[in-house]
């Protein structure tokens, strides 16, 4: 069973034509699982040759909008394309309410689309799984577990670990360096880790009203990421969640000071 990871989006909340918001697809055989659903992810999914209707499981690391803002687009596209199978969405407390609100926004549109149909149709069926640290899914050879990370000021941010046959992949979600991630990513084949530079962040916030000191409690800097990869002993490191102003060559040289394995500064639509 060939395993493929596609980076659908390697950006963050700041709109960036080169990087969609966070999104990753894990595919093994016919099973495709989406992790995060940031801005532009549905378009990237189609660019990568997939359809929203191919996906029946979605994992959200936390409820910051950059990780879910395309969810309405995903739900309605999946429905328009004719898929009535349930979509299982996994995430923190608050997810059910969020899904209810998105479906409420979509309802008038769904009713209009139903009114022109010859055959009756169900409304989208979304099954929400509120999770905590531990195993979240064991299906079709996919084992997915959630683990706690540290992303101030959120109460329930998660990273995800996928174990598929003898392959292991970890998605950090958004986090500052934390021991629990190193524990769960220990020795994995692939670590997809965020890198939200503080020194390019400030240029994005013209207002100057954000206390950028929160970044050290919430995100990981390039000079910290090589140590994380090294301490976890990961076989390969892929960097994501980058500012529009981040210069890939710069962070590559910083991270590779401490991590000497294969290192890729992610770009949208890269596959591993
Ligand atoms: Zn984020
Ligand atoms: Zn976040």
């Amino acid at each position: 069973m060939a395993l493929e990871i596609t980076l659908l989006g390697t950006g963050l909340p700041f709109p960036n034509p080169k990087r969609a918001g966070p999104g990753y697809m894990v595919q093994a055989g016919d099973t495709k699982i989406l992790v995060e659903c940031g801005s532009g992810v549905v378009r990237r999914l189609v660019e990568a040759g997939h359809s929203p209707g191919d996906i029946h499981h979605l994992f959200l690391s936390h409820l910051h909008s950059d990780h879910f803002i395309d969810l309405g687009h995903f739900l309605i596209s999946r429905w328009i394309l004719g898929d009535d199978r349930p979509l299982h969405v996994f995430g923190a407390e608050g997810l059910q309410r969020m899904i209810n609100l998105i479906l409420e926004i979509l309802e008038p549109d769904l009713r209009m689309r139903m009114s022109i149909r010859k055959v009756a149709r169900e409304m989208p069926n979304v099954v929400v799984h509120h999770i905590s640290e531990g195993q979240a899914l064991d299906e079709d050879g996919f084992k997915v577990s959630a683990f706690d990370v540290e992303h101030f000021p959120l109460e329930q941010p998660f990273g995800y670990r996928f174990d598929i046959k003898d392959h292991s992949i970890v998605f950090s979600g958004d986090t500052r360096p934390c021991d629990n991630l190193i524990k769960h990513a220990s020795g994995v084949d692939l670590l997809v880790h965020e890198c939200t530079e503080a020194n390019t962040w400030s240029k994005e916030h013209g207002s100057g009203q954000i206390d950028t000191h929160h970044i050290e409690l919430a995100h990981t800097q390039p000079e910290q990421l090589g140590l994380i990869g090294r301490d976890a002993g990961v076989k390969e490191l892929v960097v994501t969640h980058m500012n529009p102003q981040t210069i890939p060559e710069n962070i590559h040289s910083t991270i590779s000071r401490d991590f000497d394995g294969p290192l890729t500064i992610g770009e949208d639509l890269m596959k591993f």
Side-chain angles (χ1 to χ4, degrees):
M1 189 161 61
L3 176 64
E4 189 170 81
I5 317 301
T6 307
L7 308 183
L8 299 171
T10 56
L12 33 57
F14 307 124
N16 180 353
K18 295 195 178 129
R19 298 186 187 279
Y24 316 99
M25 200 179 65
V26 182
Q27 179 178 8
D30 291 334
T31 304
K32 301 177 182 182
I33 292 185
L34 186 62
V35 180
E36 322 282 33
C37 199
S39 171
V41 162
V42 172
R43 207 188 78 184
R44 289 286 196 238
L45 192 65
V46 175
E47 270 187 281
H50 307 290
S51 163
D54 297 343
I55 292 166
H56 313 303
H57 298 87
L58 166 63
F59 288 84
L60 298 178
S61 64
H62 62 298
L63 300 186
H64 265 153
S65 58
D66 54 318
H67 295 252
F68 71 75
I69 199 71
D70 224 10
L71 190 46
H73 190 195
F74 178 67
L75 291 176
I76 195 73
S77 304
R78 193 173 177 273
W79 190 87
I80 288 170
L81 290 166
D83 210 295
D84 285 328
R85 283 169 287 187
L87 174 71
H88 295 268
V89 187
F90 300 76
E93 286 298 325
L95 180 59
Q96 180 71 66
R97 179 167 181 269
M98 198 179 86
I99 294 285
N100 291 349
L101 290 169
I102 292 171
L103 290 174
E104 196 179 323
I105 289 169
L106 293 174
E107 192 180 338
D109 175 82
L110 286 160
R111 299 238 170 262
M112 286 183 276
R113 292 177 193 282
M114 291 217 197
S115 72
I116 55 164
R117 292 181 58 80
K118 291 182 185 164
V119 182
R121 180 100 186 266
E122 296 294 317
M123 296 287 265
N125 182 3
V126 183
V127 182
V128 171
H129 302 263
H130 285 153
I131 55 169
S132 51
E133 181 166 291
Q135 186 162 292
L137 182 72
D138 184 358
E139 199 174 301
D140 297 334
F142 275 70
K143 283 189 166 73
V144 185
S145 51
F147 58 88
D148 296 326
V149 292
E150 296 175 25
H151 185 45
F152 178 84
L154 280 83
E155 289 179 4
Q156 264 199 314
F158 296 113
Y160 287 111
R161 175 175 171 138
F162 284 66
D163 287 281
I164 303 154
K165 289 224 162 174
D166 48 359
H167 295 282
S168 48
I169 309 125
V170 162
F171 296 94
S172 69
D174 286 7
T175 185
R176 70 170 174 175
C178 73
D179 292 342
N180 202 37
L181 180 136
I182 289 175
K183 177 180 147 193
H184 287 274
S186 177
V188 293
D189 295 307
L190 185 68
L191 171 61
V192 180
H193 201 292
E194 75 117 288
C195 185
T196 313
E197 280 190 301
N199 64 351
T200 54
W201 173 290
S202 53
K203 291 175 197 152
E204 303 300 320
H205 269 282
S207 68
Q209 292 179 0
I210 302 294
D211 178 2
T212 49
H213 290 101
H214 91 277
I215 295 174
E216 67 189 66
L217 302 174
H219 292 293
T220 299
Q221 300 307 304
E223 54 273 21
Q224 299 169 316
L225 186 45
L227 295 169
I228 292 167
R230 186 195 72 188
D231 292 350
V234 303
K235 298 200 178 87
E236 185 170 1
L237 179 57
V238 173
V239 181
T240 186
H241 203 273
M242 286 167 279
N243 280 323
Q245 315 286 357
T246 289
I247 298 168
E249 297 74 24
N250 290 359
I251 66 170
H252 189 284
S253 68
T254 303
I255 296 166
S256 60
R257 286 205 296 256
D258 298 305
F259 181 73
D260 60 9
L263 166 67
T264 303
I265 309 305
E267 289 175 20
D268 292 10
L269 301 174
M270 278 182 170
K271 292 179 193 257
F272 296 86

